[in-house]
């Protein structure tokens, strides 16, 4: 694609990076076929190629974002399916991130939208605030239908509907600590605590810790870790996202340089994608560029790390059919597609995949609250393809997808590591208690 940025514009490293990305796009449109919003809405402006044109025009003319541009860019899930399809290697993720920052800086959103975004940014990344909000949401749940009738309050209605129940309290290792390896130590890893996951489902990391320590891995919970920054990053709140990243980078580097870490493991793939990108996000900060790149280099989704541990192989198949939902942040953002399914098969589960596995379930961070109608359609579509497989259980590697899909089906949904832990000696996952066949 031809671009026409001036030399003065290109002196800005963000514009320069956007220019390089734009120039790689050959407008072939292959990406449109795999874009969930284009598949649903059929509007070129809701496709990756259409959005790329909008972003180019906005940045090239160095002007505030318009309402129309904001509408179509807000509708993008940042699912990155387009990046898996693109034959030219267009880094749409970095381009749309730049566009979101530009929108945040130049566009004045209507007051209700501003307010909802402010609440999400000030609550979700902080576990104690999120716990309180979930308790409030339980009280407000009966009013969700009422709020849904007022267009400006639809995000509030979506928040109330998604609230899964009473939040979980702080875990015993909330203030940090080490879960020692059983037997001879083979590795030492940090396991990201994150922000929303421990409030919604602490059982995921409990399963991960049991699984890892049984296989001879020391698991460190690093004191002071916070949100990875993804939630605010996707809202274009750049400085807040970078500050979350800096905090975590400092803590992990300290751990790497003292006791040592073989890897930083993540059980929420929506967090793994930005942490693997910290090196890029902080490349312009001389105090953090090198440290952030070192952190990104040893960050792994847990399903990438577990194959190095040779989990015990099942001698006979287990009588349990698992429908595996591949989170976008894992399959497109991190290009980790088959390892979770290989691991589940290794320990004896029958694993099946739904039709159109590349399509997003509509969760996408805060998307299911901010764009609840599109998110609802994507969820229903995903649930229908999963239910068509008649599985005993659905497995996924991202709490956002689990919450989103779980809000639309009666089939139990668990994290992949909960099944792996169960099959190798751990307890029955909470979602399967009382209804599971023996693992
Ligand atoms: S597939 Fe890649 S090169 Fe083709 S239009 Fe989409 S982004 Fe551009
Ligand atoms: S990130 Fe997803 S929703 Fe956004 S343009 Fe790409 S494929 Fe479409």
């Amino acid at each position: 694609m031809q671009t026409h940025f001036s030399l003065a514009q290109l002196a800005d490293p963000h514009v320069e990076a956007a220019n390089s990305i734009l120039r790689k796009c050959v407008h072939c449109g292959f990406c449109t076929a795999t874009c969930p919003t284009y598949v649903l809405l059929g509007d070129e402006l809701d496709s990756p190629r259409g959005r790329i044109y909008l972003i180019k025009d906005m940045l090239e003319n160095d002007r505030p974002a318009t309402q129309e541009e904001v509408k179509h860019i807000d509708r993008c899930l940042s699912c990155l399916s387009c990046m898996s399809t693109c034959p030219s290697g267009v880094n749409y993720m970095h381009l749309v991130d730049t566009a979101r920052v530009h929108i945040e800086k130049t566009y004045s959103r209507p007051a209700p939208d501003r307010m909802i975004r402010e609440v999400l940014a000030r609550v979700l990344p902080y576990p104690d605030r999120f716990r309180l909000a979930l308790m409030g949401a339980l009280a407000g749940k009966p009013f969700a239908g009422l709020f849904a009738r007022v267009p400006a309050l639809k995000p509030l209605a979506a928040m109330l509907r998604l609230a899964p129940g009473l939040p979980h309290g702080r875990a015993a290792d909330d203030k940090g600590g080490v879960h020692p390896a059983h037997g001879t130590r083979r590795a030492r890893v940090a396991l990201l605590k994150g922000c929303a996951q421990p409030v919604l489902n602490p059982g995921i990391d409990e399963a991960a810790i049991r699984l890892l320590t049984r296989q001879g891995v020391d698991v460190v919970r690093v004191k002071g870790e916070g949100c990875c920054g993804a939630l605010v990053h996707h809202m274009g709140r750049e400085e807040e996202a970078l500050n979350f990243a800096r905090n975590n980078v400092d803590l992990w580097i300290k751990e790497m340089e003292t006791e040592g870490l073989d890897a930083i493991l993540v059980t929420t793939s929506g967090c793994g994608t930005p942490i693997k990108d910290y090196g890029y996000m902080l490349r312009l900060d001389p105090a953090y560029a090198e440290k952030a790149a070192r952190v990104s280099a040893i960050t792994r989704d847990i399903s990438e790390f577990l194959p190095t541990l040779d989990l015990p192989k099942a001698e006979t198949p287990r009588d349990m059919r698992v429908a595996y939902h591949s989170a976008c942040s894992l399959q497109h953002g991190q290009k980790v597609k088959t390892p979770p399914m290989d691991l589940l098969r290794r320990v004896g589960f029958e694993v099946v995949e739904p039709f159109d596995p590349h399509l997003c379930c509509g969760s996408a961070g805060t998307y299911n609250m901010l764009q609840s109608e599109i998110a609802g359609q994507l969820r229903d579509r995903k649930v229908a393809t999963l239910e068509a497989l008649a599985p005993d259980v659905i497995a996924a590697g991202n709490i956002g997808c689990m919450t989103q899909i779980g809000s639309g089906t009666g089939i139990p949904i668990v994290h992949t590591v909960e099944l792996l832990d169960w099959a190798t000696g751990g307890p029955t996952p909470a979602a399967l208690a009382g209804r599971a066949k023996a693992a």
Side-chain angles (χ1 to χ4, degrees), residues 28 35 94 112 138 277 314 318 323 350 379:
C28 64
C35 170
H94 289 159
L138 278 187
D277 204 40
R318 295 169 198 280
E350 181 195 359
R379 182 199 64 186

Side-chain angles (χ1 to χ4, degrees), residues 31-32 34-38 46-49 51-52 72-73 75-83 85 92-93 96 100 328 332 359-360 367 378:
C31 52
T32 56
T34 59
C35 170
T37 54
Y38 183 74
D46 287 313
S47 78
R49 184 172 59 181
R51 293 187 178 111
I52 286 170
H72 295 293
I73 293 167
R75 282 182 182 167
C76 169
L77 296 132
S78 281
C79 69
L80 310 181
S81 175
C82 47
M83 282 180 64
T85 320
Y92 178 85
M93 174 172 84
V96 81
R100 294 193 202 280
C328 296
H332 304 306
L359 281 186
C360 182
Y367 190 94
L378 288 171

Side-chain angles (χ1 to χ4, degrees), residues 24-32 48-49 52 82 85-90:
K24 280 195 170 176
C25 176
V26 295
H27 347 154
C28 64
F30 287 167
C31 52
T32 56
R49 184 172 59 181
I52 286 170
C82 47
T85 320
C86 175
S88 302
V90 172

